[in-house]
Amino acid sequence: DAGVIQSPRHEVTEMGQEVTLRCKPISGHNSLFWYRQTMMRGLELLIYFNNNVPIDDSGMPEDRFSAKMPNASFSTLKIQPSEPRDSAVYFCASTNSRGFTEAFFGQGTRLTVV
Amino acid sequence: AQKVTQAQTEISVVEKEDVTLDCVYETRDTTYYLFWYKQPPSGELVFLIRRNSFDEQNEISGRYSWNFQKSTSSFNFTITASQVVDSAVYFCALSDSNTGNQFYFGTGTSLTVIP
C-alpha cells in the first residue's frame, strides 16, 4: 500500500488566497484526521471523519477553514482566505477503526502564507 | 478530560547511552489506547507502538522498550544504547471512547543523540 498520500508537499501562497490541501487515505481505512503542527501549539486535531462523515470539527480554528470528505478515498482541507498565521505543517492521517488502532500519517503539507 | 503530558521538552544524550522518555496521561475511561510516534528531522510521523489499557505487560522491540503502569498513569519509552539515528521528536498519544476515539498528542520530546 502506498500509505496516506497528501498533496501538495509544499505550498506558498499570498495572504487572502484560497488554499486547498488534499489527502488520500489508506484504502480500507474508515477514519480520517486532519492535524496542524506548529512550534507554538504542537499537533492540533482540526477535524475527524468516520465513514466520510465529520464527527468532530471543534478543532477547526475558524470559519475560514473547511474540510470535506466526498468519498472514502479523498478528503480536502480548504482555507479561504488564508492568513500568515495559518502557516504550519498540515497532516492527514487515517486508521481502519474508530481510533483503537494506530493512525498512519501522510508526509504532510508545509503551508507558508506570505 | 483527556490529557497527555510529556514534561521533557528536550533531551540530549551521548551515543550509546540509555534514555527514557516520559509520558503521563489522564482519562476517565477504563478502555483506552496509548501510542508512541517518532518524528525524525524529515518530518513524517512514524508509528512505533500501541498499547491498550488492559495490557500492562511491558514490551521490548530491539533497542526500544515501553513501560506501561496504570497505577501512575504512565507509558514511558526507553531507548537502549542510543544511536544518532534516534534523534527525533517523540510523541505520546491517547485515544479513548470519551474522545470519540480521536488521537490526542502530547507536546513531544525532542531527543538529540550526540555522536
Side-chain angles (χ1 to χ4, degrees):
Chain A
D1 198 311
V4 176
I5 300 173
Q6 291 186 246
S7 63
R9 291 291 309 280
H10 302 275
E11 177 79 31
V12 180
T13 191
E14 292 185 346
M15 182 174 61
Q17 296 297 307
E18 177 180 300
V19 176
T20 299
L21 311 182
R22 297 172 176 79
C23 175
K24 176 179 169 55
I26 292 173
S27 177
H29 283 189
N30 62 352
S31 294
L32 184 141
F33 308 84
W34 281 101
Y35 286 88
R36 177 172 68 177
Q37 186 177 34
T38 61
M39 289 294 293
M40 292 297 295
R41 302 174 69 92
L43 269 167
E44 301 174 274
L45 177 65
L46 300 178
I47 188 169
Y48 156 50
F49 292 88
N50 190 52
N51 293 323
N52 311 338
V53 176
I55 303 299
D56 186 350
D57 65 355
S58 60
M60 296 285 262
E62 49 198 274
D63 292 344
R64 297 185 298 105
F65 286 68
S66 63
K68 295 181 180 179
M69 192 164 186
N71 56 61
S73 59
F74 185 65
S75 177
T76 60
L77 177 68
K78 183 180 294 186
I79 307 172
Q80 166 64 23
S82 57
E83 297 182 3
R85 60 191 169 121
D86 301 330
S87 297
V89 180
Y90 291 81
F91 286 101
C92 175
S94 70
T95 183
N96 65 357
S97 72
R98 297 181 63 221
F100 291 149
T101 60
E102 57 274 18
F104 292 90
F105 283 77
Q107 292 192 298
T109 295
R110 181 173 295 277
L111 174 65
T112 303
V113 183
V114 298
Chain B
Q2 289 66 229
K3 183 176 178 181
V4 176
T5 301
Q6 296 181 254
Q8 304 152 307
T9 305
E10 296 181 359
I11 301 176
S12 292
V13 298
V14 177
E15 199 171 21
K16 298 185 182 178
E17 288 184 346
D18 299 346
V19 58
T20 295
L21 310 181
D22 298 333
C23 174
V24 175
Y25 61 92
E26 296 178 26
T27 178
R28 296 176 188 167
D29 211 354
T30 55
T31 301
Y32 54 89
Y33 292 76
L34 297 163
F35 307 82
W36 276 95
Y37 284 82
K38 175 182 180 180
Q39 188 174 39
S42 53
E44 71 272 24
L45 280 153
V46 179
F47 164 74
L48 294 178
I49 190 172
R50 175 190 65 189
R51 174 65 72 221
N52 73 60
S53 53
F54 299 108
D55 182 4
E56 289 193 70
Q57 194 170 21
N58 291 333
E59 182 158 339
I60 298 174
S61 176
R63 297 183 298 106
Y64 294 173
S65 62
W66 290 269
N67 182 5
F68 176 31
Q69 292 194 342
K70 290 179 71 171
S71 60
T72 56
S73 297
S74 65
F75 186 42
N76 297 337
F77 174 27
T78 297
I79 301 174
T80 303
S82 59
Q83 299 177 2
V84 172
V85 293
D86 297 327
S87 296
V89 180
Y90 291 86
F91 292 94
C92 182
L94 167 73
S95 176
D96 66 30
S97 59
N98 285 334
T99 70
N101 303 320
Q102 301 165 16
F103 291 81
Y104 284 86
F105 284 81
T107 52
T109 297
S110 178
L111 173 67
T112 301
V113 181
I114 304 166

